[in-house]
Amino acid sequence: MAIKSVHLKIKGMHCTGCEETIENAVGCLPGVKKVKADYAKRTVDVEFDGKLIGDSGIRHTIEEKGYEFESASINNSNRHIQNGLIFLFFLLVVGGVTFWGKSMVPGLIGEMNSSLGHAMLFSIGFFTGFHCIGMCGGFVVGYATAGGPQSAVTTTTRHLMYATGKTASYTAIGGAMGLLGSVMTFTPYMRGVINLAASIFVIIYGLKMLDVFPALRGFTLRLPRYVTKGVANELRGQRNPLVIGLLNGFMLGCGPLQAMYIMAAGTGNPQEGATMLFFFGLGTLLPLLSFGLIASSVSRSIMRQLVMASAILVIAMGLMMADRGLKLTGSGYDVNSLLSSWQQQVTPADNHLDSRNDVRQR
């Protein structure tokens, strides 16, 4: 026996759920004695028997799950360039709002109705579904191939059962989180504080997905490993698609799902929390259930960019939550209050100019 070890730097880990995905995939390889993935450090440490498997086999397995490897020297320079471009993008956005957004923002706020919110939640779920492929794709394969080749009708029925179970699970837990939020928020002010706290978590999570500030990886809501491993092991042992779908709601190591549950709690409303998770869950189904076709036609780099698109939408939802929280606290710093204050300051000046023009015309 020739025990070897390898230390790998990983790109593409978006949450602590990725640790479980990598550890399970590599841990099943012949000759692997120990594997430890670390989301915050973006590393994977593996001890293995060199006679049974090589370094290339381990790397290939990790790459099959949608992750890549990075070299410290090249990656640091690339990351600085990437962070600079993202920072420049945010500057341009802020500048655009500052110079041209004064007339556009009131109309935009007027369009932020429930339908827009549901469409955005569905979009977040859709883009997040590409991240779900790596974590949950194996479970879908498990029930889809159980018992050997199946007819199209049988396969479709199993997918529908899984979709029903997953959507029901997300909706029920979202409603429970909204109920928990309602119990904790006795007054509008306290509800606003809860909204603000939840929005901070959601915005930080979105920034972590973008990987703009690596230091944010240390601010992670991490559940005990035995909880996430227990759910994952139960999922791997199941072949009933309905049960697998129901258990998916308890994949609490999944970062996007954590963000959605925090959002639901921030609403302080069971119906609203359930509705949020319903639309989010529906969005995740399309990429996940068709991942065989997607995996063969879409490159990993494009899939990562789609996940980044989801991050931008998550940040947008977090900002909307923050604005809602500021409004409930009565701080006067929410968008509508600031716009009203600005309009009140501008109107007297405009009236003064109009009166001076009238005098000159006379």
Side-chain angles (χ1 to χ4, degrees), residues 166-184:
K166 183 176 181 180
T167 305
S169 178
Y170 280 16
T171 302
I173 297 177
M177 295 300 293
L179 178 62
L180 177 63
S182 68
V183 172
M184 296 173 60

Side-chain angles (χ1 to χ4, degrees), residues 20-315:
E20 169 65 22
T21 300
I22 294 174
E23 289 177 359
N24 179 68
V26 176
C28 293
L29 295 175
V32 172
K33 304 300 179 182
K34 183 179 179 182
V35 55
K36 172 68 174 178
D38 192 307
Y39 160 71
K41 297 178 180 178
R42 292 185 289 192
T43 59
V44 178
D45 294 290
V46 187
E47 291 183 8
F48 59 97
D49 186 347
K51 294 182 178 180
L52 299 177
I53 192 171
D55 179 88
S56 60
I58 294 172
R59 288 175 177 268
H60 178 69
T61 299
I62 295 175
E63 286 176 336
E64 282 188 329
K65 289 297 179 180
Y67 304 97
E68 291 184 348
F69 303 96
E70 60 184 30
S71 62
S73 58
I74 297 177
N75 183 70
N76 284 337
S77 61
N78 287 344
R79 184 176 295 126
H80 289 315
I81 294 173
Q82 180 187 33
N83 291 349
L85 291 174
I86 294 175
F87 181 69
L88 178 62
F89 170 76
F90 278 115
L91 281 181
L92 291 173
V93 171
V94 172
V97 171
T98 302
F99 292 103
W100 298 287
K102 292 179 180 179
S103 61
M104 296 168 58
V105 170
L108 178 62
I109 295 299
E111 293 297 324
M112 285 186 178
N113 51 33
S114 58
S115 297
L116 177 62
H118 296 161
M120 185 176 289
L121 287 165
F122 183 88
S123 300
I124 293 174
F126 175 76
F127 290 123
T128 301
F130 293 92
H131 170 67
C132 295
I133 289 174
M135 293 187 63
C136 306
F139 307 140
V140 175
V141 171
Y143 74 69
T145 59
Q150 303 291 333
S151 66
V153 174
T154 301
T155 301
T156 301
T157 301
R158 290 184 175 184
H159 284 329
L160 288 175
M161 291 174 65
Y162 170 80
T164 301
K166 183 176 181 180
T167 305
S169 178
Y170 280 16
T171 302
I173 297 177
M177 295 300 293
L179 178 62
L180 177 63
S182 68
V183 172
M184 296 173 60
T185 54
F186 300 102
T187 66
Y189 179 83
M190 292 176 64
R191 185 178 174 185
V193 171
I194 293 294
N195 264 267
L196 283 172
S199 69
I200 291 172
F201 174 87
V202 171
I203 292 170
I204 288 177
Y205 175 73
L207 291 173
K208 287 197 298 182
M209 288 181 69
L210 289 176
D211 204 15
V212 180
F213 306 107
L216 291 177
R217 287 173 168 263
F219 297 92
T220 300
L221 181 60
R222 183 183 294 275
L223 298 170
R225 281 184 174 265
Y226 72 85
V227 175
T228 55
K229 281 186 176 294
V231 174
N233 290 337
E234 182 65 25
L235 278 165
R236 280 189 287 271
Q238 282 287 337
R239 288 295 179 266
N240 186 318
L242 180 62
V243 175
I244 292 174
L246 291 170
L247 288 173
N248 253 246
F250 296 94
M251 291 288 290
L252 301 179
C254 175
L257 193 54
Q258 288 181 2
M260 290 300 108
Y261 286 159
I262 294 295
M263 281 188 186
T267 65
N269 185 310
Q271 182 177 353
E272 192 173 345
T275 302
M276 288 180 65
L277 267 296
F278 173 78
F279 283 99
F280 172 77
L282 284 182
T284 64
L285 290 174
L286 183 59
L288 184 58
L289 295 182
S290 59
F291 78 92
L293 175 62
I294 291 174
S296 61
S297 59
V298 180
S299 67
R300 290 192 181 97
S301 61
I302 293 178
M303 289 177 69
R304 281 193 298 273
Q305 291 175 12
L306 290 172
V307 173
M308 291 182 70
S310 173
I312 294 173
L313 291 176
V314 166
I315 293 173

